[in-house]
Amino acid sequence: MGKHADFLTLHMPPQSYSRSQRDEEGLARRAPHDCWADVADNEATARYIAVMQMASEVAQFCMTVPAGLRTPAYQQIVLDPDVCATPDEPVLGLPSWVSKVPWVAGQRRTVLLDETVLTRGGSQSEVVAGQLRHLADLVSQEKTGVRGTVVRILPMSPVVFVHTVGLHAEVTLHGHRLVTSIGLFPFYETGSGAAQAISAGLREAVSAACSREETYDRLVRAADAMQRRTTS
């Protein structure tokens, strides 16, 4: 772990660093150390997975069903190495320590699924139908006022801010709030104007999402339609 600890130490702000004494720059209104791209390959991916699983609160916008909510069959499709450049849950080839990181107990998680999830099945319609029914079951089991996972469908119309900036999440880890995303590599941002805008955009998206009842209804109807597609 020595070289990985050295990598992290190299990219941490110095102990004397004070953001309030630094100027913000650019349209994103960033001060030094507001944004960090973790380019350490598989170790970076493992760290991202650990952050998402250990956060006390998560709000995320997704185009596919995210880690922790997948059926085994859907998981196999999503994590296929031929189509998944950067996994969001432990897979073979990542550092072994990440498979030992548990989901934090009592995590408060809000998952906003783009409504295209309801219609994208392709040749895997039966698997997707099963996944949609699984999500409907999770929605039906939600308990008001209890920490846990909330799944909602986010319609494509009206267009809200998160539709324009892509797949982001806001996480709270050890009391610190961060905006994060993963593509070719994970990045984390806090304090900047960009981070504040994305956080506000996620809150806007929560308000624009379907209600619990409508989400459940749309998931069930989509699963039925997907199932009919497999038998037609």
Side-chain angles (χ1 to χ4, degrees), residues 186-210:
F187 84 86
Y188 307 89
E189 185 155 6
T190 186
S192 68
Q196 293 172 36
I198 292 170
S199 295
L202 285 166
R203 291 193 295 272
E204 175 194 36
V206 170
S207 298
C210 296

Side-chain angles (χ1 to χ4, degrees), residues 24-182:
E24 295 179 344
E25 298 182 355
L27 294 176
R29 305 201 315 275
R30 289 188 178 116
H33 301 291
D34 277 359
C35 186
W36 180 49
D38 193 349
V39 295
D41 198 29
N42 286 344
E43 195 72 25
T45 301
R47 279 195 285 269
Y48 173 84
I49 293 168
V51 165
M52 297 300 287
Q53 294 185 182
M54 295 176 66
S56 58
E57 295 187 26
V58 176
Q60 58 187 138
F61 171 55
C62 308
M63 298 292 291
T64 60
V65 180
L69 304 181
R70 298 167 179 156
T71 64
Y74 186 88
Q75 180 188 57
Q76 188 173 1
I77 294 172
V78 172
L79 297 181
D80 183 340
D82 291 334
V83 298
C84 178
T86 309
D88 61 354
E89 58 181 301
V91 295
L92 192 65
L94 292 181
S96 59
W97 62 262
V98 73
S99 62
K100 302 173 185 175
V101 176
W103 286 93
V104 69
Q107 183 183 76
R108 180 174 292 164
R109 186 182 187 192
T110 301
V111 176
L112 301 172
L113 289 174
D114 187 88
E115 70 174 343
T116 57
V117 170
L118 301 174
T119 55
R120 283 188 279 109
S123 61
Q124 304 289 343
S125 295
E126 186 170 2
V127 171
V128 175
Q131 175 65 66
L132 295 175
R133 293 192 194 284
H134 175 63
L135 291 174
D137 288 342
L138 293 177
V139 172
S140 70
Q141 295 167 19
E142 291 175 12
K143 296 181 180 179
T144 304
V146 178
R147 293 177 71 92
T149 299
V150 171
V151 177
R152 295 291 183 266
I153 298 298
L154 181 64
M156 296 176 65
S157 179
V159 174
V160 294
F161 182 72
V162 295
H163 286 130
T164 68
V165 295
L167 310 179
H168 287 80
E170 182 182 67
V171 303
T172 302
L173 184 67
H174 302 310
H176 299 284
R177 188 166 294 177
L178 307 169
V179 166
T180 185
S181 185
I182 190 168

